[in-house]
Amino acid sequence: MPAADDMHQWFGTLFIHKGYYRDAVFKFQLLIPQDYPDRRPTVRFTSDMWHPLIDNQGYLALQYQFPQWRPHRDYLFHVLHFIKAAFKKCVLDTIVEKQAVNKEAYRMYRQENKIFARLAQQRAQLSITDSILYENYPANNSIRFSPLGEEQFDDLKQKMMSSVTSNGIMASSLTGDKRSETFDSIMAGLAD
């Protein structure tokens, strides 16, 4: 999502469900140069990271996926896809030492995988602590998380389920425009 005051600065959040970083909620910034698409953007994680392709300041080594940035062939959606893919085992397995910007994380991944796994999981768990998840947002970042109590969750769930049920349609059976109409209906019901 673009920053409130700068279209060249975007904020994002990555939810990881499997693998070494299971349950992580990592926040990042996508910085788009003024001369984009002629120059590649920059990705900086604001969460504490332990990854062979992420340096100590949080910068993701995009040159791993994009050794030569190709204007009008490489786009932001390719970068966003790579951000997600970088945390998968299939990508971690293909990194070679000269590509790693965090040599210690690389070495541990290759030689002491159980320790690497513990450190990665430690970062994942840290990312979902209240102080990290709900605080420390730049003023121009409109992506905000707030705690949701059990009662609030149950109320929202009930509203969503009753909206889907009242339409007589199960969400998994929806396609295309019908899914969009049903989503709009659910959101309108939540606003009531």
Side-chain angles (χ1 to χ4, degrees):
M1 176 173 285
D5 58 353
D6 184 357
M7 287 299 294
H8 290 95
Q9 180 183 22
W10 290 15
F11 295 96
T13 304
L14 178 64
F15 297 89
I16 300 179
H17 303 287
K18 296 190 287 187
Y20 293 104
Y21 301 91
R22 178 182 61 262
D23 299 327
V25 179
F26 291 139
K27 300 174 191 175
F28 65 91
Q29 294 179 9
L30 178 66
L31 304 168
I32 305 166
Q34 294 290 333
D35 56 352
Y36 176 83
D38 293 328
R39 246 182 349 120
R40 109 174 97 225
T42 303
V43 174
R44 181 177 176 270
F45 283 88
T46 57
S47 304
D48 186 28
M49 303 301 295
W50 179 254
H51 191 288
L53 294 177
I54 301 173
D55 70 16
N56 291 334
Q57 287 78 45
Y59 289 97
L60 176 63
L62 288 177
Q63 63 274 19
Y64 169 82
Q65 181 68 19
F66 308 98
Q68 281 299 118
W69 183 257
R70 302 168 304 171
H72 307 291
R73 290 187 64 196
D74 294 324
Y75 295 100
L76 293 177
F77 70 87
H78 293 120
V79 172
L80 293 171
H81 183 266
F82 176 65
I83 292 169
K84 181 179 178 184
F87 292 89
K88 295 182 178 182
K89 186 178 184 323
C90 61
V91 171
L92 289 164
D93 286 346
T94 63
I95 300 169
V96 296
E97 187 173 9
K98 70 179 183 177
Q99 297 165 323
V101 292
N102 183 333
K103 301 295 187 194
E104 186 62 15
Y106 172 82
R107 186 191 66 73
M108 278 194 180
Y109 183 76
R110 293 290 182 201
Q111 298 172 7
E112 301 177 69
N113 193 263
K114 287 183 181 184
I115 295 173
F116 175 87
R118 277 189 291 199
L119 290 171
Q121 191 49 219
Q122 180 185 57
R123 295 323 196 276
Q125 293 306 306
L126 179 64
S127 76
I128 58 174
T129 60
D130 288 356
S131 62
I132 301 296
L133 196 56
Y134 304 132
E135 300 170 13
N136 301 321
Y137 290 96
N140 60 349
N141 180 358
S142 58
I143 300 175
R144 307 278 176 170
F145 295 99
S146 60
L148 184 64
E150 202 63 40
E151 189 175 310
Q152 292 171 300
F153 174 78
D154 289 341
D155 186 45
L156 287 172
K157 180 180 173 184
Q158 189 276 329
K159 284 181 181 180
M160 289 178 16
M161 295 306 288
S162 66
S163 178
V164 171
T165 305
S166 69
N167 289 328
I169 300 169
M170 292 305 294
S172 61
S173 67
L174 299 175
T175 58
D177 292 337
K178 192 64 180 171
R179 181 175 290 169
S180 178
E181 290 171 24
T182 303
F183 177 76
D184 291 343
S185 172
I186 291 169
M187 296 311 290
L190 292 175
D192 294 341

